[in-house]
Amino acid sequence: EGLCAMVLDVSFQLGITTGTYTAGAAMGIGPLYQVGAMQNAFPTYGLSYVVGLAYSVRIVGSRFVGQRKYKEFRGLYSYAAVYVVVLAIVAGGSTLPFARAISLDLAEQSCEFAFNSQCTPVYTSVFGGGTSSGAPLQTTFYLFGPILLGIAGYRILKAGMYCVFDFQFMAVAGASTFVCVFIPAILVARYVIDQPW
């Protein structure tokens, strides 16, 4: 059972890592900084609130399932799902007006590239301007709310699966999604569309 749970987590993390490095390899260091800045923003601006809820759902939900209190489990899980949706709306709505400031703050360390004329292309690929053709970090940050909803939803769905002890399904779903959905999608994005995001 522990191996099955690990397969799901490794499949999820492989997707994140593969996507990040594919963006960096195909598009350069600027988009790599952008993806890294977005990943750093999630815990700060909303995802950390879901971690405690997911643990609570695992602990209390498992107890409800073990005691055959399915109505209580359904209520707890419904509350958690509503909480995640509301959190994503609130986090997205509260960060959207400040997307420019937040994104610039998160990529502050890349400002070092502005002082060296040889690094100007890297700087413009992160923040835009000049001859950069890609989307700047400020624009990318407008996708924060929907992406947060997806990640937070995944965390709560995984917590629910832990409660019902369906570890084999989690392993099969995680591995098959990575192999049958993610890998073809990243290959199409890289070699057909040539925009690995």
Coordinates of all heavy atoms in Angstrom, one line a residue, residues 95-174:
T95 N -5.1 38.0 -5.4 CA -3.7 38.2 -6.0 C -3.8 38.8 -7.4 O -2.9 39.5 -7.8 CB -3.0 36.9 -6.1 OG1 -3.8 35.9 -6.9 CG2 -2.6 36.3 -4.8
L96 N -5.0 38.7 -8.0 CA -5.1 39.3 -9.4 C -4.8 40.8 -9.5 O -4.1 41.2 -10.4 CB -6.5 38.9 -10.0 CG -6.7 39.1 -11.4 CD1 -5.7 38.3 -12.2 CD2 -8.1 38.7 -11.8
P97 N -5.4 41.6 -8.6 CA -5.1 43.0 -8.7 C -3.6 43.3 -8.4 O -3.1 44.4 -8.8 CB -5.9 43.6 -7.6 CG -7.0 42.6 -7.2 CD -6.4 41.3 -7.5
F98 N -2.9 42.4 -7.7 CA -1.5 42.7 -7.4 C -0.6 41.7 -8.2 O 0.6 41.5 -7.7 CB -1.3 42.5 -5.9 CG -2.2 43.3 -5.1 CD1 -3.3 42.7 -4.5 CD2 -2.0 44.7 -5.0 CE1 -4.2 43.5 -3.7 CE2 -2.9 45.5 -4.2 CZ -4.0 44.9 -3.6
A99 N -1.1 41.1 -9.2 CA -0.3 40.1 -10.0 C 1.1 40.7 -10.4 O 2.1 40.0 -10.3 CB -1.1 39.6 -11.2
R100 N 1.1 41.9 -10.9 CA 2.3 42.5 -11.4 C 3.3 42.6 -10.2 O 4.5 42.2 -10.3 CB 2.0 43.9 -12.0 CG 3.3 44.5 -12.6 CD 2.9 45.9 -13.3 NE 4.0 46.5 -13.8 CZ 4.6 46.3 -14.9 NH1 4.1 45.4 -15.7 NH2 5.6 47.0 -15.3
A101 N 2.9 43.2 -9.1 CA 3.8 43.4 -8.0 C 4.3 42.1 -7.4 O 5.4 41.9 -7.1 CB 3.1 44.2 -6.9
I102 N 3.4 41.1 -7.2 CA 3.7 39.8 -6.7 C 4.7 39.1 -7.6 O 5.7 38.6 -7.1 CB 2.5 39.0 -6.4 CG1 1.6 39.6 -5.3 CG2 2.9 37.5 -6.1 CD1 0.3 38.9 -5.2
S103 N 4.4 39.1 -8.9 CA 5.3 38.4 -9.8 C 6.7 39.1 -9.8 O 7.7 38.4 -9.9 CB 4.7 38.4 -11.2 OG 4.5 39.7 -11.7
L104 N 6.8 40.4 -9.8 CA 8.1 41.0 -9.8 C 8.8 40.7 -8.5 O 10.0 40.6 -8.5 CB 7.9 42.5 -10.0 CG 7.4 43.0 -11.3 CD1 7.1 44.5 -11.4 CD2 8.3 42.5 -12.5
D105 N 8.1 40.7 -7.4 CA 8.7 40.4 -6.1 C 9.3 38.9 -6.1 O 10.4 38.7 -5.6 CB 7.7 40.5 -5.0 CG 8.3 40.2 -3.6 OD1 9.4 40.9 -3.3 OD2 7.8 39.4 -2.9
L106 N 8.5 38.0 -6.7 CA 8.9 36.6 -6.7 C 10.2 36.4 -7.6 O 10.9 35.4 -7.4 CB 7.8 35.7 -7.1 CG 6.7 35.6 -6.1 CD1 5.5 34.9 -6.8 CD2 7.1 34.8 -4.9
A107 N 10.4 37.2 -8.5 CA 11.5 37.0 -9.5 C 12.6 38.1 -9.2 O 13.4 38.3 -10.1 CB 11.0 37.1 -10.9
E108 N 12.6 38.6 -8.0 CA 13.6 39.7 -7.7 C 15.0 39.2 -7.9 O 15.8 40.0 -8.4 CB 13.4 40.1 -6.2 CG 14.3 41.2 -5.8 CD 14.0 41.6 -4.4 OE1 13.1 41.0 -3.7 OE2 14.7 42.5 -3.9
Q109 N 15.3 38.0 -7.6 CA 16.7 37.5 -7.8 C 17.2 37.6 -9.2 O 18.4 37.6 -9.5 CB 16.9 36.1 -7.2 CG 16.3 35.0 -7.9 CD 14.8 34.8 -7.5 OE1 14.2 35.6 -6.9 NE2 14.3 33.7 -8.0
S110 N 16.2 37.5 -10.2 CA 16.6 37.5 -11.6 C 17.0 38.9 -12.0 O 17.5 39.1 -13.1 CB 15.5 37.0 -12.5 OG 14.4 37.8 -12.4
C111 N 16.8 40.0 -11.2 CA 17.2 41.3 -11.5 C 18.7 41.5 -11.6 O 19.2 42.4 -12.2 CB 16.6 42.3 -10.5 SG 14.8 42.5 -10.5
E112 N 19.4 40.5 -11.1 CA 20.9 40.5 -11.2 C 21.3 40.5 -12.7 O 22.4 41.0 -13.1 CB 21.5 39.4 -10.5 CG 21.3 39.5 -9.0 CD 21.8 38.2 -8.2 OE1 22.6 37.5 -8.9 OE2 21.5 38.0 -7.1
F113 N 20.4 39.9 -13.5 CA 20.8 39.8 -15.0 C 20.7 41.2 -15.6 O 21.3 41.4 -16.7 CB 19.8 38.8 -15.7 CG 19.9 37.4 -15.2 CD1 18.9 36.8 -14.6 CD2 21.1 36.7 -15.4 CE1 19.0 35.4 -14.2 CE2 21.2 35.4 -15.0 CZ 20.2 34.8 -14.4
A114 N 20.0 42.1 -15.1 CA 19.9 43.5 -15.7 C 21.2 44.2 -15.6 O 21.4 45.2 -16.4 CB 18.8 44.2 -15.0
F115 N 22.1 43.9 -14.7 CA 23.3 44.7 -14.5 C 24.4 44.3 -15.5 O 25.4 45.0 -15.7 CB 23.8 44.5 -13.1 CG 22.9 45.1 -12.1 CD1 22.3 44.3 -11.2 CD2 22.7 46.5 -12.1 CE1 21.4 44.9 -10.3 CE2 21.8 47.0 -11.2 CZ 21.2 46.2 -10.2
N116 N 24.3 43.1 -16.2 CA 25.3 42.7 -17.1 C 24.6 42.7 -18.5 O 23.6 42.0 -18.7 CB 25.7 41.2 -16.7 CG 26.8 40.7 -17.6 OD1 27.1 41.2 -18.6 ND2 27.5 39.7 -17.1
S117 N 25.2 43.4 -19.4 CA 24.7 43.6 -20.7 C 24.6 42.2 -21.5 O 23.7 42.0 -22.3 CB 25.5 44.6 -21.6 OG 26.8 44.1 -21.7
Q118 N 25.4 41.3 -21.2 CA 25.4 40.0 -21.8 C 24.1 39.2 -21.3 O 23.7 38.2 -22.0 CB 26.6 39.2 -21.5 CG 27.8 39.8 -22.2 CD 29.1 39.0 -21.8 OE1 29.2 38.4 -20.7 NE2 30.2 39.2 -22.6
C119 N 23.6 39.5 -20.2 CA 22.5 38.8 -19.6 C 21.1 39.5 -19.9 O 20.1 39.1 -19.4 CB 22.6 38.7 -18.1 SG 24.0 37.7 -17.6
T120 N 21.2 40.6 -20.7 CA 19.9 41.3 -21.0 C 18.9 40.4 -21.6 O 17.7 40.5 -21.3 CB 20.2 42.5 -21.9 OG1 21.2 43.4 -21.2 CG2 19.0 43.3 -22.2
P121 N 19.2 39.5 -22.6 CA 18.2 38.6 -23.1 C 17.5 37.8 -22.0 O 16.3 37.5 -22.1 CB 18.9 37.8 -24.1 CG 20.1 38.5 -24.5 CD 20.5 39.3 -23.2
V122 N 18.2 37.4 -21.0 CA 17.6 36.6 -20.0 C 16.6 37.4 -19.2 O 15.5 37.0 -18.9 CB 18.7 36.0 -19.0 CG1 18.0 35.3 -17.8 CG2 19.6 35.0 -19.8
Y123 N 17.1 38.7 -18.9 CA 16.2 39.6 -18.1 C 14.9 39.9 -18.9 O 13.8 39.8 -18.3 CB 17.0 40.9 -17.8 CG 16.2 41.9 -17.1 CD1 16.1 41.8 -15.7 CD2 15.5 42.9 -17.7 CE1 15.3 42.7 -15.0 CE2 14.8 43.9 -17.0 CZ 14.7 43.8 -15.6 OH 14.0 44.7 -14.9
T124 N 15.0 40.2 -20.2 CA 13.8 40.5 -21.0 C 12.9 39.3 -21.2 O 11.7 39.4 -21.3 CB 14.2 41.1 -22.3 OG1 15.0 40.1 -23.1 CG2 14.9 42.4 -22.2
S125 N 13.5 38.1 -21.1 CA 12.7 36.9 -21.3 C 11.9 36.6 -20.0 O 10.9 35.9 -20.0 CB 13.5 35.6 -21.7 OG 14.4 35.2 -20.6
V126 N 12.4 37.1 -18.9 CA 11.6 37.0 -17.6 C 10.6 38.1 -17.5 O 9.4 37.8 -17.2 CB 12.6 37.0 -16.4 CG1 11.7 37.0 -15.1 CG2 13.5 35.8 -16.4
F127 N 11.0 39.3 -17.7 CA 10.1 40.5 -17.4 C 9.5 41.1 -18.7 O 8.6 42.0 -18.6 CB 10.9 41.5 -16.7 CG 11.3 41.1 -15.3 CD1 12.6 40.8 -15.1 CD2 10.4 40.9 -14.3 CE1 13.0 40.4 -13.8 CE2 10.8 40.5 -13.1 CZ 12.1 40.2 -12.8
G128 N 9.9 40.7 -19.9 CA 9.3 41.2 -21.1 C 10.1 42.5 -21.5 O 11.1 42.9 -20.9
G129 N 9.7 43.0 -22.6 CA 10.4 44.2 -23.2 C 11.5 43.8 -24.1 O 11.8 42.6 -24.3
G130 N 12.0 44.8 -24.8 CA 13.1 44.5 -25.7 C 12.6 43.7 -26.9 O 11.6 43.9 -27.4
T131 N 13.4 42.7 -27.2 CA 13.1 41.8 -28.4 C 12.5 40.5 -27.9 O 12.3 39.6 -28.7 CB 14.4 41.5 -29.2 OG1 15.3 40.9 -28.3 CG2 15.0 42.8 -29.8
S132 N 12.1 40.4 -26.7 CA 11.5 39.2 -26.1 C 10.1 39.0 -26.8 O 9.3 39.8 -26.9 CB 11.3 39.3 -24.6 OG 10.6 38.2 -24.1
S133 N 9.9 37.7 -27.3 CA 8.7 37.4 -27.9 C 7.7 36.6 -27.0 O 6.6 36.4 -27.4 CB 9.0 36.6 -29.2 OG 9.6 35.4 -28.9
G134 N 8.2 36.1 -25.9 CA 7.4 35.3 -25.0 C 6.6 36.2 -24.1 O 6.8 37.4 -24.0
A135 N 5.7 35.5 -23.4 CA 4.9 36.2 -22.4 C 5.7 36.5 -21.1 O 6.4 35.7 -20.7 CB 3.7 35.4 -22.0
P136 N 5.6 37.8 -20.6 CA 6.4 38.1 -19.4 C 5.8 37.4 -18.2 O 4.6 37.0 -18.2 CB 6.3 39.6 -19.3 CG 5.1 40.0 -20.0 CD 4.9 38.9 -21.1
L137 N 6.6 37.4 -17.1 CA 6.1 36.8 -15.9 C 4.8 37.5 -15.4 O 3.9 36.8 -14.8 CB 7.2 37.0 -14.8 CG 6.9 36.4 -13.4 CD1 6.6 34.9 -13.4 CD2 8.1 36.7 -12.5
Q138 N 4.7 38.8 -15.5 CA 3.5 39.5 -15.1 C 2.2 38.9 -15.7 O 1.2 38.8 -15.1 CB 3.6 41.0 -15.4 CG 4.8 41.7 -14.8 CD 6.0 41.6 -15.7 OE1 6.5 40.5 -16.0 NE2 6.6 42.8 -16.1
T139 N 2.3 38.6 -17.0 CA 1.2 38.0 -17.7 C 0.9 36.6 -17.3 O -0.2 36.2 -17.1 CB 1.4 38.1 -19.2 OG1 1.7 39.4 -19.6 CG2 0.2 37.6 -20.0
T140 N 2.0 35.8 -17.1 CA 1.9 34.4 -16.7 C 1.2 34.3 -15.3 O 0.4 33.4 -15.1 CB 3.3 33.8 -16.6 OG1 3.9 34.0 -17.8 CG2 3.2 32.3 -16.3
F141 N 1.4 35.3 -14.5 CA 0.8 35.2 -13.1 C -0.7 35.3 -13.1 O -1.3 35.0 -12.1 CB 1.5 36.3 -12.2 CG 1.4 36.0 -10.8 CD1 2.3 35.1 -10.2 CD2 0.4 36.5 -10.0 CE1 2.2 34.7 -8.9 CE2 0.4 36.2 -8.6 CZ 1.3 35.3 -8.1
Y142 N -1.3 35.8 -14.2 CA -2.8 35.9 -14.2 C -3.4 34.5 -14.2 O -4.6 34.3 -14.0 CB -3.2 36.6 -15.4 CG -3.0 38.1 -15.3 CD1 -2.1 38.8 -16.2 CD2 -3.5 38.9 -14.2 CE1 -1.9 40.1 -16.1 CE2 -3.2 40.2 -14.1 CZ -2.4 40.8 -15.0 OH -2.1 42.2 -14.9
L143 N -2.7 33.4 -14.5 CA -3.2 32.1 -14.4 C -3.1 31.4 -13.0 O -3.4 30.3 -12.8 CB -2.4 31.2 -15.4 CG -2.5 31.6 -16.9 CD1 -1.5 30.8 -17.7 CD2 -3.9 31.4 -17.4
F144 N -2.7 32.2 -12.0 CA -2.4 31.7 -10.7 C -3.7 31.0 -10.1 O -3.6 29.9 -9.6 CB -2.0 32.9 -9.8 CG -1.7 32.4 -8.4 CD1 -0.5 31.8 -8.1 CD2 -2.6 32.7 -7.4 CE1 -0.3 31.4 -6.8 CE2 -2.4 32.3 -6.1 CZ -1.2 31.6 -5.8
G145 N -4.8 31.7 -10.2 CA -6.1 31.1 -9.6 C -6.5 29.8 -10.1 O -6.7 28.8 -9.3
P146 N -6.6 29.6 -11.4 CA -7.0 28.3 -12.0 C -6.0 27.2 -11.7 O -6.3 26.1 -11.4 CB -7.1 28.6 -13.5 CG -7.3 30.1 -13.6 CD -6.6 30.7 -12.5
I147 N -4.7 27.6 -11.7 CA -3.7 26.5 -11.4 C -3.7 26.1 -10.0 O -3.6 25.0 -9.6 CB -2.3 27.0 -11.8 CG1 -2.2 27.3 -13.3 CG2 -1.2 26.0 -11.4 CD1 -0.9 27.9 -13.8
L148 N -3.9 27.1 -9.1 CA -4.0 26.8 -7.7 C -5.2 25.9 -7.4 O -5.2 25.0 -6.6 CB -4.2 28.1 -6.9 CG -4.4 27.9 -5.4 CD1 -3.2 27.4 -4.7 CD2 -4.8 29.2 -4.7
L149 N -6.4 26.2 -8.1 CA -7.5 25.3 -8.0 C -7.2 23.9 -8.4 O -7.6 22.9 -7.7 CB -8.7 25.9 -8.8 CG -10.0 25.0 -8.8 CD1 -10.6 24.9 -7.4 CD2 -11.0 25.6 -9.8
G150 N -6.5 23.7 -9.4 CA -6.1 22.4 -9.9 C -5.2 21.6 -8.9 O -5.5 20.5 -8.5
I151 N -4.2 22.3 -8.3 CA -3.3 21.7 -7.4 C -4.0 21.4 -6.1 O -3.9 20.3 -5.5 CB -2.1 22.5 -7.2 CG1 -1.3 22.6 -8.5 CG2 -1.2 22.0 -6.1 CD1 -0.1 23.6 -8.4
A152 N -4.8 22.4 -5.6 CA -5.5 22.2 -4.3 C -6.6 21.1 -4.5 O -6.8 20.3 -3.5 CB -6.1 23.5 -3.9
G153 N -7.2 21.1 -5.6 CA -8.2 20.0 -5.8 C -7.6 18.6 -5.8 O -8.1 17.7 -5.3
Y154 N -6.4 18.5 -6.5 CA -5.7 17.3 -6.5 C -5.4 16.8 -5.0 O -5.5 15.7 -4.7 CB -4.4 17.4 -7.3 CG -3.4 16.3 -7.0 CD1 -3.6 15.1 -7.5 CD2 -2.3 16.6 -6.2 CE1 -2.6 14.1 -7.3 CE2 -1.4 15.6 -6.0 CZ -1.5 14.3 -6.5 OH -0.6 13.4 -6.2
R155 N -4.9 17.8 -4.2 CA -4.5 17.4 -2.8 C -5.7 16.9 -2.0 O -5.6 15.9 -1.3 CB -4.0 18.6 -2.1 CG -2.7 19.2 -2.7 CD -1.5 18.6 -1.9 NE -0.3 19.0 -2.6 CZ 0.6 19.8 -2.0 NH1 0.4 20.3 -0.9 NH2 1.7 20.1 -2.7
I156 N -6.9 17.5 -2.2 CA -8.1 17.1 -1.5 C -8.6 15.8 -2.1 O -9.1 14.9 -1.3 CB -9.2 18.2 -1.5 CG1 -8.7 19.4 -0.7 CG2 -10.5 17.7 -1.0 CD1 -8.4 19.1 0.8
L157 N -8.6 15.6 -3.4 CA -9.0 14.3 -4.0 C -8.1 13.2 -3.5 O -8.6 12.1 -3.2 CB -8.9 14.4 -5.5 CG -10.0 15.2 -6.2 CD1 -9.7 15.4 -7.7 CD2 -11.4 14.6 -6.0
K158 N -6.8 13.4 -3.4 CA -5.9 12.4 -2.9 C -6.2 12.1 -1.4 O -6.1 10.9 -1.1 CB -4.4 12.9 -3.1 CG -3.4 11.9 -2.7 CD -2.0 12.4 -3.0 CE -1.5 13.3 -2.0 NZ -0.1 13.6 -2.0
A159 N -6.5 13.1 -0.6 CA -6.8 12.9 0.8 C -8.1 12.0 0.9 O -8.1 11.1 1.7 CB -7.0 14.2 1.5
G160 N -9.0 12.2 0.0 CA -10.2 11.4 0.0 C -9.9 9.9 -0.4 O -10.5 9.0 0.2
M161 N -9.0 9.8 -1.3 CA -8.6 8.4 -1.8 C -7.9 7.7 -0.6 O -8.1 6.5 -0.5 CB -7.8 8.5 -3.0 CG -8.5 9.0 -4.2 SD -10.0 8.1 -4.6 CE -9.3 6.5 -5.2
Y162 N -7.1 8.4 0.1 CA -6.4 7.8 1.3 C -7.4 7.3 2.3 O -7.2 6.3 2.9 CB -5.5 8.8 1.9 CG -4.1 8.9 1.4 CD1 -3.8 9.6 0.3 CD2 -3.1 8.1 2.0 CE1 -2.5 9.7 -0.2 CE2 -1.8 8.2 1.5 CZ -1.5 9.0 0.4 OH -0.2 9.0 -0.1
C163 N -8.5 8.0 2.5 CA -9.5 7.7 3.5 C -10.2 6.3 3.1 O -10.6 5.6 4.0 CB -10.6 8.7 3.6 SG -10.0 10.2 4.3
V164 N -10.4 6.1 1.8 CA -11.1 4.9 1.4 C -10.2 3.7 1.1 O -10.6 2.7 0.7 CB -12.1 5.1 0.3 CG1 -13.2 6.1 0.7 CG2 -11.4 5.6 -1.0
F165 N -8.9 4.0 1.4 CA -7.8 2.9 1.2 C -7.8 2.3 -0.1 O -7.5 1.1 -0.3 CB -8.0 1.8 2.3 CG -8.1 2.4 3.7 CD1 -9.3 2.4 4.4 CD2 -6.9 2.8 4.3 CE1 -9.3 2.9 5.7 CE2 -7.0 3.3 5.6 CZ -8.2 3.4 6.3
D166 N -8.0 3.1 -1.2 CA -7.9 2.6 -2.5 C -6.5 3.0 -3.2 O -6.4 3.7 -4.1 CB -9.0 3.3 -3.4 CG -9.4 2.4 -4.6 OD1 -8.6 1.4 -4.9 OD2 -10.4 2.7 -5.2
F167 N -5.5 2.4 -2.6 CA -4.2 2.7 -2.9 C -3.8 2.2 -4.3 O -3.1 2.8 -5.1 CB -3.2 2.2 -1.9 CG -3.3 2.8 -0.6 CD1 -3.9 2.2 0.5 CD2 -2.9 4.1 -0.4 CE1 -4.1 2.8 1.7 CE2 -3.1 4.7 0.9 CZ -3.6 4.1 1.9
Q168 N -4.3 1.0 -4.7 CA -4.0 0.4 -6.0 C -4.6 1.3 -7.1 O -3.9 1.5 -8.1 CB -4.6 -1.0 -6.1 CG -4.1 -1.7 -7.3 CD -4.6 -3.2 -7.4 OE1 -5.2 -3.6 -6.5 NE2 -4.2 -3.8 -8.5
F169 N -5.8 1.8 -6.9 CA -6.4 2.7 -7.9 C -5.5 4.0 -8.0 O -5.3 4.4 -9.2 CB -7.8 3.1 -7.5 CG -8.4 4.1 -8.4 CD1 -8.8 3.8 -9.7 CD2 -8.4 5.5 -8.0 CE1 -9.4 4.8 -10.5 CE2 -8.9 6.4 -8.8 CZ -9.4 6.1 -10.1
M170 N -5.0 4.5 -6.9 CA -4.2 5.7 -7.0 C -2.9 5.5 -7.8 O -2.5 6.3 -8.6 CB -3.9 6.2 -5.6 CG -5.0 6.8 -4.8 SD -4.6 7.6 -3.3 CE -3.7 6.4 -2.4
A171 N -2.3 4.3 -7.6 CA -1.1 4.0 -8.3 C -1.3 3.9 -9.8 O -0.6 4.4 -10.6 CB -0.4 2.8 -7.7
V172 N -2.4 3.1 -10.1 CA -2.7 2.9 -11.5 C -3.1 4.2 -12.2 O -2.6 4.6 -13.3 CB -3.8 1.9 -11.7 CG1 -4.3 1.8 -13.1 CG2 -3.3 0.5 -11.3
A173 N -3.9 5.0 -11.5 CA -4.4 6.3 -12.1 C -3.2 7.3 -12.2 O -3.0 7.9 -13.3 CB -5.4 6.9 -11.2
G174 N -2.3 7.3 -11.2 CA -1.2 8.2 -11.3 C -0.2 7.9 -12.4 O 0.2 8.7 -13.3

